[in-house]
Amino acid sequence: MRRIAEEARGGDFLLRRQALYLAGYDDAPDTSGWLSQQQRAERPGDWLTQWLTARSVAAVAARQGDRDRMQHFITTTLDDDDTGEAANLNYWAYWIGESAHVQLSDDFIATTSTPTWHGHKLLQHLVAGLVPDRGFFDLNIHTLWALLAARPGLLRTSTAGRALGDRLPLLLDSTEPSTRARRELEAIRYAIRLGEA
């Protein structure tokens, strides 16, 4: 994977990004240093390439135990930008199989028009991924919060929505009161209560 990532530099962005992402699973002692060096070499130009690079860097860092980088990504790249929020949902939905169409480029990620996917698979995937000690925990919560804001009806029409309601007390107990994740979980709990009223 390292060789592929290095050889793809400057040529095939998608191949390089995927190779870097997969290389992040390597638990060799020098992996973190090598990934940092590779990420410093990136000089993305357009918005989508910058967004994808920032997401990949945050994902690799989270897998390596650096949750601060993921927090930074959520705060600066998702939360302050509707385009970033839409890109996050489009990215997740496509890669977990919500979309019926194969995409030949990453351009669909930056589409802000109403997507054609429903969200049931994405909701199920995100709820299953709500494991507090994983590096993606905060991103899963934020994405879940954004998904339910975009598609509030999912809570009423999905078994995953009911499972989420059952798990919320445990998730809230394991989340620090001052964090964004806790605020978003509280908002999700409120949305569930409104749906039950």
Side-chain angles (χ1 to χ4, degrees), residues 164-174 189:
L164 174 61
D166 293 342
R167 291 185 61 199
L168 271 174
L170 178 63
L171 293 169
L172 285 163
D173 284 346
S174 63
R189 181 166 64 177

Side-chain angles (χ1 to χ4, degrees), residues 110-123:
T111 302
T112 56
S113 60
T114 304
T116 57
W117 47 267
H118 298 288
H120 295 285
K121 287 182 184 178
L122 181 53
L123 177 62

